[in-house]
Amino acid sequence: GQQLNQSPQSMFIQEGEDVSMNCTSSSIFNTWLWYKQDPGEGPVLLIALYKAGELTSNGRLTAQFGITRKDSFLNISASIPSDVGIYFCAGQLSGYALNFGKGTSLLVTP
Amino acid sequence: SQTIHQWPATLVQPVGSPLSLECTVEGTSNPNLYWYRQAAGRGLQLLFYSVGIGQISSEVPQNLSASRPQDRQFILSSKKLLLSDSGFYLCAWSPGAAEAFFGQGTRLTVV
């Protein structure tokens, strides 16, 4: 599958700070998805993006589908301790398989 | 609403033993079904996907196989486990070709 580059690899922030992470690909995608995974659990879908330029929010989370269709970002505003986890981006061009980034590990200190 | 069940949650198996992990989905029909493996260090690797009963596509040649005996049942198997088969196995389903929804995962340790 296509290679997704997700950055940063890890983030260590204080509660209340805003967070930004992104994903880039050398190939275009038709769909971008963002997931969060808690330790020992399966990833949970946070936001799905279907159109280039689309900006979607889910509570304190905002994600955008890049105009070039080769990138996406996720922002978390006013972080709280329960935001701790690993965040994955995933892209899909066609067919049935999602391509996942390697994840951004987020740690939030009170 | 749709739910996905995956079991067991944890498994410790000796090298050379067989494996059978089961996944079932409720509340939907004809879902796309997936098996992923997540090794330590996070990346999710797609192992198999299925768009219908008896239809299995393999993404990576390896010591594992998958079967879909019923519309909402997906099974991951191995005849003889290797140490390298250790990892976190995730089943997922999707209503079409977009979002995937994951089960709770199975932590497999081969000793």
Side-chain angles (χ1 to χ4, degrees), chain A residues 2-59:
Chain A
Q2 292 87 354
Q3 185 77 22
L4 292 188
N5 298 307
Q6 188 172 347
S7 64
Q9 187 175 11
S10 60
M11 303 183 74
F12 189 71
I13 62 169
Q14 283 196 318
E15 183 177 1
E17 289 184 6
D18 297 342
V19 172
S20 183
M21 59 191 78
N22 68 80
C23 224
T24 60
S25 171
S26 57
S27 304
I28 60 172
F29 286 112
N30 292 332
T31 304
W32 281 97
L33 306 171
W34 285 93
Y35 288 84
K36 182 190 177 209
Q37 185 178 27
D38 292 327
E41 308 260 332
V44 174
L45 181 64
L46 298 174
I47 292 180
L49 303 159
Y50 302 104
K51 287 169 41 176
E54 180 180 354
L55 183 71
T56 298
S57 294
N58 178 7

Side-chain angles (χ1 to χ4, degrees), chain B residues 72-83:
Chain B
R72 290 169 289 174
Q73 184 185 29
F74 206 22
I75 298 172
L76 183 69
S77 304
S78 174
K79 292 183 180 177
K80 287 186 178 181
L81 284 169
L82 307 172
L83 286 173

Side-chain angles (χ1 to χ4, degrees), chain B:
Chain B
S1 65
Q2 300 88 1
T3 56
I4 180 169
H5 302 281
Q6 186 181 341
W7 68 92
T10 60
L11 192 59
V12 179
Q13 291 283 99
V15 168
S17 64
L19 172 73
S20 180
L21 302 181
E22 189 163 343
C23 173
T24 59
V25 182
E26 295 177 357
T28 187
S29 55
N30 198 32
N32 293 337
L33 297 172
Y34 311 84
W35 279 109
Y36 285 85
R37 178 168 59 199
Q38 186 175 31
R42 314 180 212 148
L44 280 87
Q45 180 187 36
L46 178 65
L47 302 176
F48 301 96
Y49 67 90
S50 171
V51 300
I53 296 174
Q55 299 179 59
I56 309 294
S57 296
S58 173
E59 289 291 303
V60 183
Q62 56 208 321
N63 187 40
L64 302 169
S65 62
S67 61
R68 185 170 178 174
Q70 300 180 48
D71 181 43
R72 290 169 289 174
Q73 184 185 29
F74 206 22
I75 298 172
L76 183 69
S77 304
S78 174
K79 292 183 180 177
K80 287 186 178 181
L81 284 169
L82 307 172
L83 286 173
S84 58
D85 291 324
S86 294
F88 192 49
Y89 288 83
L90 290 157
C91 180
W93 76 276
S94 70
E99 310 107 341
F101 301 93
F102 287 84
Q104 290 290 88
T106 296
R107 173 73 59 192
L108 172 65
T109 304
V110 183
V111 297

Side-chain angles (χ1 to χ4, degrees), chain A residues 59-70:
Chain A
R60 294 179 295 106
L61 278 61
T62 302
Q64 184 158 31
F65 192 142
I67 289 291
T68 65
R69 295 168 62 192
K70 292 183 178 181

